[in-house]
Amino acid sequence: MAYAYLFKYIIIGDTGVGKSCLLLQFTDKRFQPVHDLTIGVEFGARMITIDGKQIKLQIWDTAGQESFRSITRSYYRGAAGALLVYDITRRDTFNHLTTWLEDARQHSNSNMVIMLIGNKSDLESRREVKKEEGEAFAREHGLIFMETSAKTASNVEEAFINTAKEIYEKIQEGVFDINNEANGIKIGPQHPTTNSTLPSSQGGQHAGGGCC
Amino acid sequence: MNFLRGVMGGQTTGPQPTEAETIQKLCDRVASSTLLEDRRDAVRALKSLSKKYRMEVGVQSMDHLINILQTDRTDSEILGYALDTLYNVISNDEEEEQDESEDENAQKQGDDAGTKFTEKFLQDPEHITLLLTLLEEFDFHVRWPCVKLLTALLKNQGIQVQGIVLVSPMGVSRLMDLLADSREVIRNDGLLLLQQLTKGNAAIQKIVAFENAFERLLDIITEEGSSDGGIVVEDCLLLLVNLLKNNSSNQNFFKEGSYIQRMKPWFEVGEDNSGWSAQKVTNLHLMLQLVRLMVSPVNSPGATASSQKCMYQCGLLQQLCTILMATGVPADILTETINTVSEVIRGSQVNQDYFASVNAPSNPPRPAIVVLLMSMVNERQPFVLRCAVLYCFQCFLYKNQKGQGEIVATLLPSTIDANSISAGQLLCGGLFSPDSLSNWCAAVALAHALQDNLTQKEQLLRVQLATSLGKPPVSLLQQCTNILSQGSKVQTRVGLLMLLCTWISNCPIAVTHFLHNQDNVPFLTAQISENLGEDERLVQGLCALLLGICVYYNDNSLENYTKEKLKQLIEKRIGKENFIEKLGFITKHELYSRAALKPQPVFLSPEQMLFDHEFTRLVKELEGLITKAVHKSSEEEKKEEEVKKTLEQHDNIVTQYKELIREQDAQIQELKEKVASMTTQTEQLQATVSQQQSQIQQHKDQYNILKLKLGKENQSQSNNQGDTQVNGLQTEELSQLREQLEELRRQQTLLQTQLSEKDAVIDSLKSATQAAEGPAGGSDNTELLQELEALKNQVQSHLAEIGHLKAERQELQRRAEAASSDTAPPSDNSSDATNAELQSRLAAQTSETEKLKEGRSELEKQLASATSTVAILQTEKSKLQTEVQESKKEQDDLLMLLADQDQKIHSLKQRLKDLGETVEDEDDIDARDQTSDEEDEDED
Ligand SMILES: Nc1nc2c(ncn2[C@@H]2O[C@H](COP(=O)(O)OP(=O)(O)O)[C@@H](O)[C@H]2O)c(=O)[nH]1
Ligand SMILES: [Mg+2]
């Protein structure tokens, strides 16, 4: 499918907070309660629409364990967006956010959009981290914030899409250098220059960007 | 350093002492000279000696050279020399060229040296990081040797170097930048470096892909002319293979990045395809390999299916099919293209349908399938090509009922088209040709047309063959057994037996057809019982399998060959144990497990063409069943029949059970939620109580103050003969207060009764929940109850306090009354002085009374607020009461449900017991279910 832009995302955060489930919910619209531990990094992709434009999201789901940290670092620089996830039922995962954030800020390009996600909002009775705390952390560090549930799919779409919106706005503002692919942004094969409102499916077949 | 001396000692042409000394001197200069030029000259000299005197230079100079790399960063010339020297010492490549004529021993020695020097270099991982930093140096004389050195290090100690690069955050990224270098030499050597780097390391492969490797490599391939390009294209393709092989994440990325579409133009071949260069053939081989990696049968089914879909939609499959039909394509490319098309269509209905519609550009046009089958049964075609066609045919039929029907139809009397060659004709021709390979391929191909397809198994029974003029036609089934008994080649018989087994298995009508011929069973028993040589073992095993299928899938419609009779026959003629042993010959065959590995028929030589992959699956499925069936007596069988039935019933019961458990699960969940909400209610209550407590404390304090004041007043009043009017007023106020107090007391009593009612409710609830929830909800519940208990205690103590206050209040009242009675009879002794005194006293008293009044009104206010607090409390209590009432009702409902279910489970259990099944105690099931439920949650 032809796209106007391609954004690269990474998903980071402690192990077990639901990163893989969030990705699966977003790409496949399903929840898998018993999930394999992610070894290294796994890839997923989906198309979304923002402002009438097709945007392809390529997402790398990373392993949260300490032993994979150094591998994860290789992905920061080339990503336009990062979902930093903690588990609202486990305070330790919230406490580790600072470390994650430092790591991300140190190795990423300065424009990377970071979305803070408090996952497992369906487990209200076991909540250990208040929503206000998440909000405060996000405000303090200049992040966007949402609470999600990979189980009920609540806010999952929004989390990925709002991140993309933020990146998109930054592009419009000219903050991102879209010609440098190292920033995790790519312009589509036949980027519509002015008449961007035309449905992009028309040009799709000719451009050789056929099917999937 | 011992090992190096050892290696050096082995060197036959050692350097003259002067050379060793020279190297030593040069190293000293590198290490100690303060002049850059001087150091540079020394390093250059070392470089020039490093090929001829590799050992000496390596042993003596490595540390100094690394030091130069660290300290002389600003002089690219000296960096270049140092890197070159290190490369010469570490790399084994140069050696290979030189030593080509020399003996293997020297070669091995060189390799050893490379490995040892690499180990030495890697002693500090920082050295690799250092090289990665030097890569940023744009100067050709630095970057190029740096790339080569890294490649050599990777070749010698891949895993270790990979590990170091992996953990340096910018490492892979810097190496990827080499592909963008405008200097071809660097870009090309960068490709070689990345090939080494990605070998067998999935984590690095993913990072390389993340760094846009697919995009860049595909661009280079296009720029270099795709398959017509040179070795650079080959190198790019090799790197792509590295990135995609066994890496599902990268395969997914490749597909999602729409790179499959970019492979299509690779396969655009011209009209005339003669005279392809060796490079083009190599390139195309790799390109086909890449396509196959994306649709390999070993990938996850979903991944392969979506790639297959994509390959059809973007026209890649169509492009590959044109190569199949093009002229002049070299045979090995054609073979590999057939294998590729096979895997692109395997199990994908749309792609299979498309493939069935492809026509060869002949006159008249023939279906591609027919043209391919012609090659399969043609002795003159290369063996690998014939295997590829068989694979293609198998993949076309895999999970393709429609295709199976079409193939079988070409054999049926009603649909035979006499004017053109059909697939069916070719297969029959192959089946009965004198070429055993054709026999085998045709038999296996036909078996695939019947795989898991009862309809076609029955249809094929209708096929009749005209053997020779004048003789009556023979059924295809019979013709197969006829050929078997004629003692043809092993390959032929194995093929036919596999066809027969596939055909009649799971098809009782076919079994009956087979048994109907009086010759077949005696032939099989003879084959199995005889003591034959090694070569015949497989045939014996297959005969046993065929006979076993006749037993297992027998519907007892032939009186002579019922299940029971056949079993008796086996026991009498062959012996049960002997039969089982012969059956085991199949899986024990040395080629069996190889075929079981993957669907593609690959054989080292034509003689090894014995097993078909799908057939191995059939054997796996049937071996156990047949062994059991043969061992069992008829009584046992009958029993088994019954058991089967009861099992089915049990299954139903178990399903019901499961349903029940599921329901109970939901109920438990509900209960838990209720407990949670009750907990919050308790918390609210607690808050109210503590609020109440503090208010009471306030009241107490105020009462104390009041008490003090009253005490004072009483004192002054008892000293004086006060004004009755004033005091009367005071009494009135007091009685008002008393009334209010009385009211308060009534309210308190009311509250108390309400509280005790609530207590009772909670008590009953407690026992109800405990009974209902068992161990799971218990803890929550006790907690709750404890909280309620505490609450109760608090309220109790509040009540006590209130009682206490009340007593004090009464005491105060009493004293106040006493005071007023004291002042009752005024004495009259009218003397001015006394009067004046009295008046002034009265005035003082009046003002005091005034003060007292103020105090009273304050007290009044306080009382009012206390009253409203009580009112609030009261409403809260009643709210709580209704809530408790509600939850009690819900609990009751739940209890009803649970009891209901218990009853059901009980009766089911009883039924199971009646059926003779050992039934697990329901509590066990329950308990286990709950624990697993909790474990699930714990994992979250
Ligand atoms: N209840 C609930 N469980 C979740 C949610 N997201 C993930 N989980 C569970 O949390 C566990 C870890 O999830 P996973 O995606 O593998 O975490 P990762 O290590 O961050 O990738 C799994 O058992 C999931 O079923 C959620 O939103 N709600
Ligand atoms: Mg994971």
Side-chain angles (χ1 to χ4, degrees), chain A residues 1 3 8-10 16 33-34 39-46 56 58 60 70-71 73-79 87 89-90 107 120 123 125-126 151 181-182 186 205 208-212, chain B residues 165-170 172-174 177 203 205-212 215 248-250 252-262 306 309-311 313-314 676 936-940:
Chain A
M1 188 100 69
Y3 53 82
K8 285 184 180 179
Y9 282 10
I10 50 171
V34 193
I39 307 293
V41 173
E42 289 302 325
F43 172 81
R46 216 190 98 179
K56 180 138 200 162
Q58 294 185 333
W60 278 264
S70 50
I71 296 178
R73 288 194 189 107
S74 301
Y75 290 85
Y76 285 122
R77 197 187 64 141
D87 178 349
T89 70
R90 275 172 53 206
H107 294 98
K120 308 199 186 177
L123 299 175
S125 61
R126 280 162 49 189
K151 188 173 179 179
E181 266 187 50
K186 206 178 121 183
Q205 290 301 87
C211 42
C212 23
Chain B
V165 175
L166 192 56
V167 298
S168 67
M170 293 290 288
V172 176
S173 175
R174 285 209 186 98
D177 288 343
Q205 289 160 10
K206 288 178 195 173
I207 299 175
V208 169
F210 177 80
E211 294 280 349
N212 298 323
E215 188 86 40
S248 57
S249 177
N250 272 1
N252 191 16
F253 180 27
F254 192 82
K255 187 181 64 209
E256 290 291 345
S258 307
Y259 298 121
I260 287 180
Q261 290 85 328
R262 294 193 56 182
S306 64
K309 188 174 158 206
C310 184
M311 287 176 185
Q313 285 177 342
C314 76
D936 281 351
E937 287 190 9
D938 286 343
E939 277 170 21
D940 290 359

Side-chain angles (χ1 to χ4, degrees), chain B residues 767-921:
Chain B
S767 53
T769 353
Q770 265 170 354
E773 286 196 298
S779 63
D780 285 311
N781 218 355
T782 22
E783 243 168 71
L784 183 74
L785 284 171
Q786 273 167 359
E787 275 170 329
L788 278 173
E789 198 64 43
L791 207 83
K792 213 164 62 181
N793 285 342
Q794 280 172 336
V795 172
Q796 213 80 57
S797 77
H798 294 165
L799 280 174
E801 270 173 323
I802 289 169
H804 190 67
L805 280 173
K806 227 155 46 183
E808 276 180 326
R809 178 79 192 174
Q810 262 161 356
E811 166 72 4
L812 278 173
Q813 256 175 306
R814 201 183 45 72
R815 274 155 64 179
E817 270 166 84
S820 56
S821 67
D822 274 355
T823 46
S827 63
D828 197 13
N829 214 333
S830 31
S831 137
D832 277 352
T834 7
N835 213 357
E837 195 195 309
L838 255 173
Q839 238 156 14
S840 75
R841 264 211 256 161
L842 193 70
Q845 189 134 39
T846 318
S847 80
E848 248 182 311
T849 315
E850 213 62 52
K851 265 193 232 155
L852 213 80
K853 259 197 232 168
E854 276 166 33
R856 283 281 148 81
S857 72
E858 204 185 321
L859 194 72
E860 253 171 355
K861 269 189 238 150
Q862 281 161 355
L863 254 174
S865 90
T867 321
S868 69
T869 312
V870 166
I872 291 167
L873 254 171
Q874 207 169 12
T875 47
E876 254 155 3
K877 282 268 156 72
S878 70
K879 220 176 32 188
L880 200 84
Q881 208 174 12
T882 47
E883 271 165 351
V884 165
Q885 209 67 46
E886 263 169 32
S887 68
K888 191 190 153 193
K889 203 177 136 339
E890 279 164 339
Q891 291 279 18
D892 281 343
D893 290 351
L894 268 174
L895 262 177
M896 287 289 292
L897 267 171
L898 273 173
D900 218 337
Q901 238 147 25
D902 257 6
Q903 190 52 47
K904 274 194 250 173
I905 290 172
H906 216 76
S907 69
L908 277 168
K909 198 168 77 175
Q910 199 50 53
R911 265 170 63 193
L912 265 176
K913 268 185 189 148
D914 292 344
L915 286 163
E917 182 77 335
T918 42
V919 182
E920 284 179 277
D921 204 56

Side-chain angles (χ1 to χ4, degrees), chain B residues 607-669:
Chain B
E607 295 76 49
Q608 292 199 354
M609 193 180 219
L610 287 175
F611 284 108
D612 167 55
H613 175 75
E614 282 301 320
F615 181 71
T616 61
R617 287 184 35 207
L618 184 72
V619 174
K620 223 178 283 166
E621 186 188 315
L622 287 178
E623 199 184 14
L625 295 176
I626 289 173
T627 308
K628 256 194 231 151
V630 169
H631 270 305
K632 245 171 279 158
S633 69
S634 61
E635 264 172 45
E636 280 173 323
E637 205 143 279
K638 249 180 232 151
K639 252 189 233 159
E640 184 151 292
E641 243 356 78
E642 277 166 31
V643 167
K644 225 189 253 176
K645 258 184 224 146
T646 34
L647 265 179
E648 258 161 47
Q649 282 175 348
H650 285 191
D651 269 357
N652 287 341
I653 295 169
V654 167
T655 327
Q656 285 173 355
Y657 258 121
K658 279 185 189 159
E659 200 51 48
L660 261 176
I661 289 168
R662 213 164 290 138
E663 271 171 41
Q664 281 180 331
D665 241 14
Q667 283 169 348
I668 286 167
Q669 196 56 41

Side-chain angles (χ1 to χ4, degrees), chain B residues 312-330:
Chain B
Y312 172 72
Q313 285 177 342
C314 76
L316 177 59
L317 172 60
Q318 295 82 328
Q319 201 61 57
L320 290 172
C321 287
T322 57
I323 296 187
L324 282 191
M325 296 300 137
T327 49
V329 176

